[in-house]
Amino acid sequence: MMEKKTIDVRLLDRQQTLDALPDLCEVLSDCVNGGASVGFMLPFGPDDARSFWQDVAEAVGRGTTLHAVAERDGKVVGTVQVGLATKPNQPHRGDVMKLLIHRTARGLGLSRQLMAHVEAEAAGLGRTLLVLDTATGSEAEAIYPRFGWQRAGVIPDFALFPDGRYCDTTFFYKRIGPAE
């Protein structure tokens, strides 16, 4: 009989993000090496991800970013962030960033769980609108409409894939609370 793996989804504070650096670095490295256009170029290893996650921890500490993880048996295998817009004319908005699932943990519903968690947390902080962008034609692009996100449009050649090819980017939005 196969043992069921325990999945936990939770927000991390600054110190917890720093404590999880080895797992977070592995997840980001795995995704970049799997072709995800998330801002990094090849070659890219876990050590290359360290400064990125340290910056995330500092943003969490400042209260400008929510950082959620999915853990399987205590090991981080998925992560997502919400940048909380800080401009005076955008107190209602957040930017979903870097939904990353380690390739060994895909197909377990972690993307849905992480997104539901950060949407609820952002709504609890008074955010009513979230936005995100993702590589056009990617597996990631296909999941957002299933989670209730609306496609806003595509910008050609917006970014690069890790191997240097141009990447079109699709923008999405989701209302998570009533507009005031």
Side-chain angles (χ1 to χ4, degrees):
M1 180 176 228
M2 184 168 246
E3 187 179 323
K4 185 173 179 170
K5 303 270 187 184
T6 302
I7 303 291
D8 292 306
V9 175
R10 64 187 177 106
L11 283 185
L12 298 187
D13 65 21
R14 178 189 173 278
Q15 187 58 53
Q16 291 166 327
T17 298
L18 292 171
D19 292 345
L21 276 177
D23 288 352
L24 291 167
C25 290
E26 175 57 33
V27 170
L28 179 55
S29 174
D30 177 72
C31 290
V32 171
N33 282 282
S37 177
V38 291
F40 304 96
M41 304 301 289
L42 295 174
F44 191 85
D47 289 341
D48 299 315
R50 190 171 195 76
S51 66
F52 169 78
W53 289 114
Q54 289 169 330
D55 290 345
V56 169
E58 294 310 312
V60 169
R62 286 190 305 272
T64 58
T65 298
L66 299 176
H67 179 214
V69 295
E71 297 168 309
R72 186 166 77 183
D73 295 332
K75 179 176 177 56
V76 173
V77 293
T79 178
V80 68
Q81 303 155 56
V82 176
L84 302 172
T86 58
K87 293 179 180 161
N89 70 339
Q90 299 173 19
H92 62 289
R93 189 175 63 74
D95 297 290
V96 173
M97 305 176 292
K98 307 234 183 323
L99 174 61
L100 305 168
I101 308 295
H102 196 284
R103 287 178 283 181
T104 62
R106 292 185 184 165
L108 302 175
L110 300 183
S111 293
R112 183 179 298 277
Q113 290 177 55
L114 281 164
M115 291 297 287
H117 193 80
V118 295
E119 288 170 16
E121 292 287 342
L125 293 173
R127 294 325 197 249
T128 58
L129 177 70
L130 295 178
V131 297
L132 64 81
D133 66 86
T134 192
T136 304
S138 67
E139 291 178 30
E141 180 192 13
I143 67 169
Y144 295 114
R146 292 188 301 225
F147 300 167
W149 287 72
Q150 302 298 310
R151 184 180 319 269
V154 175
I155 298 176
D157 300 339
F158 186 78
L160 297 174
F161 285 108
D163 63 7
R165 293 177 294 124
Y166 282 103
C167 174
D168 296 350
T169 298
T170 303
F171 287 81
F172 288 90
Y173 69 94
K174 184 173 185 181
R175 293 200 180 276
I176 58 170
E180 295 187 10

